Amino acid sequence: MKLISWNVNGLRACLTKGFDDFLQSESPDIIALQETKLQPEQVTYAPNGYHTYYFSAQKKGYSGTAVFTKNEPERIRYGIGDPRFDDEGRLITLFYPGFAFVTAYVPNAQDGLKRLDFRTEWEAVLREYLRTLAKDGPVIYCGDLNVAHQEIDLKNPGPNRGNAGFSDEERAMFTELLNAGFVDTFREKYPDLAGAYSWWSYRFHAREHNAGWRIDYFLVREQDRSRIQDAVIYNRVLGSDHCPVGLLWEGAWN
């Protein structure tokens, strides 16, 4: 199976920058989107051959997630069961007989870490949610997780130490998630590969100089690590300040 995740930083804008061409070219079994920035009445895009599921934030032009899948799931869950987070449209779960597919747009801690407490509360709820799902079978968790876990995961770790996305607290929370029984699929396949990033600031020609961060992930249960065929970063794909990331997974829908 080919699975893709992409923070599109506004789906309507990304559609004018080649999103549909990318989707048709790669033809993933499932593609998950973050930061769609769509209200329900603005949802008009439904690609041929896919079942489409959108989850919007109550605030206009903010957050939001979506999943397009070739196979209809047995059921869908929107949100994580806590209105503090669900009002921001941050998580969708698709349940198949063979696995649960979860995509999330994790809250940004923001400048000065002013939203770190909110982020910390999210991480605790999310971690328990994933652990509960993992008791019943394989879980594939993907999205913009808004953290560069190790120094290898960003171009300039020194100056960014303590900033949102590379604070000690956020990195420790990601470690805690891994210790709860999950594997970072990209590092499983490429443990020492530097310069592999999925987000670049629009400032200072960051993408041109590959001064980026790897903050978009696919995670799976530790016991399913042998099913990771490959992990991909589509760093030449434009259309957003993020690029898509992918997972080639040895598995079936049932």
Side-chain angles (χ1 to χ4, degrees):
M1 299 179 71
K2 180 189 288 189
L3 312 171
I4 290 178
S5 175
W6 192 2
N7 178 320
V8 291
N9 192 16
L11 180 56
R12 287 177 296 171
C14 196
L15 282 167
T16 70
K17 301 174 183 177
F19 176 88
D20 196 64
D21 291 339
F22 172 75
L23 180 62
Q24 299 306 320
S25 173
E26 290 297 326
S27 189
D29 294 286
I30 304 177
I31 183 168
L33 311 181
Q34 303 86 44
E35 208 171 359
T36 53
K37 299 182 179 179
L38 290 173
Q39 294 302 111
E41 65 273 12
Q42 296 172 317
V43 173
T44 59
Y45 180 68
N48 290 333
Y50 287 89
H51 303 273
T52 60
Y53 306 98
Y54 288 88
F55 188 33
S56 301
Q58 291 189 2
K59 180 180 177 181
K60 292 183 177 180
Y62 179 72
S63 188
T65 47
V67 180
F68 306 155
T69 174
K70 289 181 177 179
N71 273 31
E72 185 176 8
E74 290 185 319
R75 60 187 177 96
I76 307 131
R77 179 175 180 177
Y78 297 96
I80 202 168
D82 189 320
R84 293 174 299 168
F85 312 121
D86 296 347
D87 287 353
E88 298 187 354
R90 292 190 174 274
L91 186 138
I92 302 175
T93 307
L94 274 56
F95 294 91
Y96 293 96
F99 61 95
F101 181 90
V102 184
T103 189
Y105 178 37
V106 172
N108 191 305
Q110 300 187 352
D111 291 343
L113 303 181
K114 61 185 178 183
R115 218 181 186 207
L116 182 60
D117 288 346
F118 182 80
R119 166 71 177 266
T120 301
E121 292 168 0
W122 158 277
E123 294 284 356
V125 174
L126 183 280
R127 187 168 55 251
E128 187 57 33
Y129 177 65
L130 293 177
R131 289 180 66 176
T132 300
L133 290 180
K135 294 176 183 177
D136 294 329
V139 175
I140 299 170
Y141 172 49
C142 71
D144 176 359
L145 306 192
N146 258 318
V147 61
H149 184 216
Q150 303 291 350
E151 290 191 355
I152 194 175
D153 294 317
L154 72 168
K155 178 70 172 181
N156 296 304
N160 283 295
R161 178 79 180 269
N163 289 341
F166 198 59
S167 67
D168 292 346
E169 295 88 345
E170 291 165 294
R171 295 170 66 194
M173 288 185 284
F174 191 87
T175 297
E176 194 170 351
L177 178 57
L178 297 182
N179 289 342
F182 292 89
V183 174
D184 173 356
T185 61
F186 186 82
R187 284 294 168 224
E188 179 71 12
K189 299 299 291 185
Y190 305 103
D192 303 313
L193 182 61
Y197 309 128
S198 64
W199 174 80
W200 302 261
S201 170
Y202 281 131
R203 298 180 295 173
F204 311 121
H205 303 283
R207 192 158 189 172
E208 179 183 338
H209 300 298
N210 198 30
W213 301 47
R214 189 176 71 91
I215 60 176
D216 301 88
Y217 296 82
F218 272 91
L219 273 61
V220 301
R221 300 186 310 174
E222 283 185 347
Q223 58 262 50
D224 299 319
R225 67 201 316 159
S226 64
R227 299 171 69 174
I228 304 168
Q229 295 179 318
D230 200 6
V232 184
I233 297 180
Y234 299 88
N235 56 11
R236 295 186 180 181
V237 175
L238 305 178
S240 169
D241 51 349
H242 295 247
C243 73
V245 299
L247 171 65
L248 298 183
W249 171 255
E250 183 182 329
W253 301 100
N254 52 30

